[in-house]
Amino acid sequence: MDAQLRRLHLPYIQGHYQALATKAAEQQRSHLDYLEQLVEGDATMLENRSIERRIRNARFPVLKSLDDFQWSWPKKINRPQIQNLFRLAFIATRPTSS
């Protein structure tokens, strides 16, 4: 089975199917729950690799996250407002065009 999973490019499933099968049996989880966990793991791994590839291709000189944001500069910054904008809630509440 490992050869087929390798050929199908399913590395998460290949590396985790046995351990997750044992855990699913111990917890008496259904086959669908087991399969869902495997597929979700592979999808997450694929998404993470895609993000990493895009960041690498962007060739940013320095990688920064919102956790690295300097709240001490500028001196007059509305921190709660900025943190609320980081949540991107305004996207879901945008007005619809008629």
Side-chain angles (χ1 to χ4, degrees), residues 19-86:
L20 290 176
T22 302
K23 187 175 178 182
E26 289 170 356
Q27 297 175 349
Q28 297 180 342
R29 295 177 59 207
S30 73
H31 291 85
L32 288 177
D33 287 342
Y34 166 66
L35 180 61
E36 181 181 7
Q37 190 173 11
L38 285 173
V39 172
E40 186 177 315
D42 223 294
T44 300
M45 181 181 276
L46 182 65
E47 184 178 339
N48 289 342
R49 284 184 176 175
S50 175
I51 292 168
E52 289 170 6
R53 184 181 64 252
R54 283 183 265 149
I55 289 171
R56 195 172 47 252
N57 289 342
R59 298 181 187 200
F60 293 126
V62 177
L63 292 180
K64 292 189 176 187
S65 71
L66 296 177
D67 295 331
D68 299 330
F69 191 81
Q70 297 284 331
W71 293 107
S72 60
W73 186 90
K75 295 290 182 191
K76 294 182 180 180
I77 190 167
N78 187 338
R79 185 175 182 166
Q81 182 181 23
I82 299 298
Q83 287 178 320
N84 186 44
L85 291 173
F86 287 164

